[in-house]
């Protein structure tokens, strides 16, 4: 059996190694357009920033090491330019020698990956405008930074690559402006959770401009001018485009292979395309989202690796199935850890799912043990069924652990209220006796059983301000003095029982504290005394952070962005 693989990195390289482990006699050829067959995509920004010091550390396998261990024929700087599925051939160009030739296959696996989205604006191909996809791209940026010692940089785009590049450039002492066309960074988060990331980015000196529409670039001789809609200009020494990626579908499309959403290659759960004996994996394919059940394009290394393994199994006569992508991801943003899995509230609503969420601010470990840090967790679930839909965490130590527990729970079909029953490891340096994941389960159970009702930050604007409701801040007087929401009166929870007669039982009560824990206790007290009480989700800490971000974003809109 002769197997040709188009593209290396996560999907193609994984498939090649798995194929050899399954079939010692197969002839396996990998054609890779770049000069590197297996490299650490996710580590590329950290080489620019100097965190990864040796360029060799980015290379996971070389053509020589692949041959030595797996007897896989890897040919770098070879671009497959055409596929003939009827005759089972591929046309290949040797880029180093400018020679074109044809190769036959019994099985073909496509792993072309994704390519950067290049906005069609003037000057985008200028000498100081860079994209980051391959190792070669990284070397170009790194060499430019080393050679010219830039003082100012613009990063266009606020996804994973954009934020990692911004952080690494800041760490090199470069003043960074991040231009993001949507109103928030990271579309894998809901706006309220992204607001916490915005604050972190700004705290490290980044000039963050949201709803900033780049319309062109101009070479200014010793720099680049980034032109924004409305007439604003940002001057810099270099610009990096990180506005997103799109499936690299040119080969498949030209060969008549069926495409799915966003032009991605359509595959079934065996990673088979519409063409016989042609498989596809990685960032170029569309898959089923394992939570929503809808078609999705999810560009992450984990799914690509799994898909490569599954495709190799099936090439060798097996029957492995891909269960779908959940979209679990994590990123370091300066001192923060930002992680998510499954569906956001926004994505769940777009999928027509009636959902709710809980927001909590637990410590990373027992509060009495030194070094505990606060994280913000948001857990999304379906009303009625309590099906666990997704989670987002913004925090520090321990955030990754909780995200992985929640991702596992979603994958295993654990009901949201059953999070309270998970038997998780506890010792003071690592957790609390009631782990944050357990706490989310307790909160969801309380909602489901009617022990508490809640109101979210985005609903606060709609409740009446005519005196028909009681707005109650149950924090201490000192906390209240340091910051409060308009209209809320202070009555500490520990004094609540003694002042029930001061409250009108005919009026609904909206209770607020720092993190929604004491206000939950207040609601339990009040509800048992006949009051209709609502706990404000996330508490003052969360609500004020989102509101501060809203005010800051409105005040920093670029010219023309607000329609003026």
């Amino acid at each position: 059996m002769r197997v040709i693989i188009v593209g290396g990195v996560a999907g193609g390289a994984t498939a090649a190694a798995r194929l050899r482990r399954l079939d010692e006699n197969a002839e396996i050829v990998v054609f890779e357009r770049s000069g590197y067959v297996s490299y650490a995509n996710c580590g590329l920004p950290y080489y620019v920033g100097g965190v990864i010091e040796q360029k060799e550390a980015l290379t996971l396998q070389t053509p020589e090491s692949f041959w030595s261990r797996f007897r896989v024929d890897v040919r770098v700087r070879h671009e497959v330019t055409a596929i003939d599925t009827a005759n089972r051939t591929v046309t290949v160009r040797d880029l180093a020698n400018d020679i074109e030739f044809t190769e036959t296959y019994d099985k073909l696996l496509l792993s072309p990956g994704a390519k950067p989205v290049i906005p069609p604006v003037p000057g985008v191909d200028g000498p100081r405008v860079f994209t980051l996809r391959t190792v070669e791209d990284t070397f170009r940026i790194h060499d430019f930074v080393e050679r010219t010692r830039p003082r100012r940089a613009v990063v266009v785009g606020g996804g994973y690559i954009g934020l990692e590049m911004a952080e690494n450039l800041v760490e090199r002492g470069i003043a960074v402006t991040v231009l993001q066309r949507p109103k928030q960074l990271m579309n894998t988060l809901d706006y309220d959770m992204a607001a916490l990331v915005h604050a972190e980015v700004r705290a490290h000196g980044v000039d963050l401009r949201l709803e900033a529409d780049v319309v062109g670039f101009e070479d200014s001789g010793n720099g680049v001018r980034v032109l924004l809609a409305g007439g604003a200009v940002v001057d810099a020494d270099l610009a990096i485009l990180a506005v997103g990626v799109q499936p690299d579908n040119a080969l498949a499309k030209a060969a008549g292979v069926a495409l799915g959403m966003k032009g991605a290659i359509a595959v079934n759960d065996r990673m088979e395309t519409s063409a016989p004996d042609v498989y596809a994996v990685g960032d170029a394919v569309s898959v089923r989202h394992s939570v929503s059940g809808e078609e999705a394009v999810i560009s992450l290394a984990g799914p690509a690796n799994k898909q490569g393994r599954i495709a190799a199994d099936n090439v060798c006569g097996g029957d492995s199935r891909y269960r779908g992508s959940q979209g679990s991801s994590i990123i370091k943003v300066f001192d923060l850890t930002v992680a998510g899995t499954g569906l956001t509230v926004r994505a769940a609503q777009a999928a027509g799912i009636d959902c709710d969420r809980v927001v909590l601010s637990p410590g990373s470990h027992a509060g009495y043990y030194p070094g505990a840090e606060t994280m913000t967790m948001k857990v999304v679930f379906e009303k009625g069924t309590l099906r666990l839909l997704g989670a987002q965490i913004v925090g520090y130590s321990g955030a990754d652990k909780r995200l992985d527990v929640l991702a596992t729970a979603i994958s295993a079909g654990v009901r949201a209220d059953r999070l309270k029953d998970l038997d998780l490891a506890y010792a003071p340096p690592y957790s609390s006796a009631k782990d944050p994941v357990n706490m989310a389960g307790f909160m969801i159970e309380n909602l489901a059983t009617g022990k508490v009702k809640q109101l979210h930050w985005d609903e606060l604007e709609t409740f009446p301000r005519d005196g028909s409701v009681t707005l109650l801040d149950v924090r201490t007087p000192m906390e209240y003095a340091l910051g409060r929401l308009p209209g809320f009166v202070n009555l500490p929870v520990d004094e609540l029982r003694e002042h029930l007669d001061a409250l009108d039982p005919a009026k609904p009560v909206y209770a607020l504290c720092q993190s929604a824990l004491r206000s939950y206790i207040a609601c339990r007290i009040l509800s048992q005394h006949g009051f209709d009480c609502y706990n404000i989700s996330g508490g003052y800490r969360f609500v004020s952070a989102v509101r501060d971000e809203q005010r800051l974003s409105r005040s920093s809109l670029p010219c023309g962005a607000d329609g003026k």
Side-chain angles (χ1 to χ4, degrees), residues 45 62 145 282 285 314 369 420 427 483 490 493 513 520 541:
T62 65
V145 171
V285 306
N314 294 325
Y369 188 88
K420 68 183 174 60
N490 185 221
V493 65
C513 74
Y520 158 66
R541 174 182 172 273

Side-chain angles (χ1 to χ4, degrees), residues 185-446:
L185 300 173
M186 298 187 66
N187 65 7
T188 54
L189 299 177
D190 285 315
Y191 174 80
D192 48 13
M193 297 296 283
L196 307 178
V197 181
H198 299 172
E200 177 76 2
V201 168
R202 289 190 171 107
H204 283 81
V206 174
D207 179 9
L208 174 60
R209 306 193 191 184
L210 304 171
E211 299 182 88
D213 189 8
V214 175
V215 297
F217 301 87
E218 289 181 353
D219 188 349
S220 62
N222 59 349
V224 58
R225 308 187 78 207
V226 185
L227 312 179
L228 304 181
V233 175
V234 182
D235 288 304
D237 300 309
L238 78 157
I240 295 176
L241 293 177
V243 297
V245 295
Q246 59 190 5
D248 195 344
N249 65 1
L251 271 176
K253 184 177 181 180
V257 175
L259 304 179
M261 70 178 301
K262 298 182 180 179
I265 303 170
V267 294
N268 61 18
D269 60 358
R270 288 170 48 85
M271 309 314 298
E272 296 168 322
T273 71
S274 62
D277 295 316
V278 178
Y279 299 76
V281 300
D283 295 353
V285 306
S286 65
V287 296
R288 182 184 64 84
H289 194 288
S290 59
V291 180
S292 71
E294 297 184 339
E295 187 181 5
V297 177
I298 298 176
S299 300
L300 293 169
N305 274 280
K306 296 178 184 72
Q307 292 161 13
R309 191 177 195 272
I310 288 168
D313 286 353
N314 294 325
V315 164
C316 292
D319 188 26
S320 292
R321 306 278 175 162
Y322 188 63
R323 296 180 58 191
S325 293
Q326 194 169 301
S328 299
S329 63
I330 192 166
I331 181 176
K332 176 182 177 294
V333 182
F334 294 100
D335 296 328
L336 279 182
T337 296
V338 183
T341 186
L343 300 179
T344 61
V345 170
R346 183 179 64 251
Q349 291 172 342
I353 300 173
D354 187 16
C355 69
D356 201 356
R357 70 272 198 188
V358 293
V359 177
L360 57 158
S361 301
S364 55
H365 59 250
Y368 61 83
Y369 188 88
E373 298 174 295
T374 300
M375 68 182 77
T376 302
M377 291 175 54
K378 182 176 187 178
V379 179
V380 186
F381 58 95
E382 185 175 29
K383 292 181 181 178
T385 68
L386 299 188
R387 179 166 66 107
L388 197 54
L389 300 175
Q392 300 157 60
I393 304 179
V394 177
Y396 303 93
S397 61
D400 54 340
K401 167 184 172 179
R402 275 62 187 222
L403 192 282
D404 282 342
V405 171
L406 288 162
T408 302
I410 292 171
S411 181
V414 175
R415 208 170 68 178
D417 60 334
R418 294 299 302 274
L419 294 174
K420 68 183 174 60
D421 300 320
L422 296 182
D423 193 352
L424 304 174
Y426 160 62
Y430 303 105
S431 184
S432 300
K434 291 183 286 191
D435 188 86
V437 174
N438 297 140
M439 291 299 300
F442 292 139
M443 294 171 68
I444 293 167
E445 181 189 52
N446 284 336

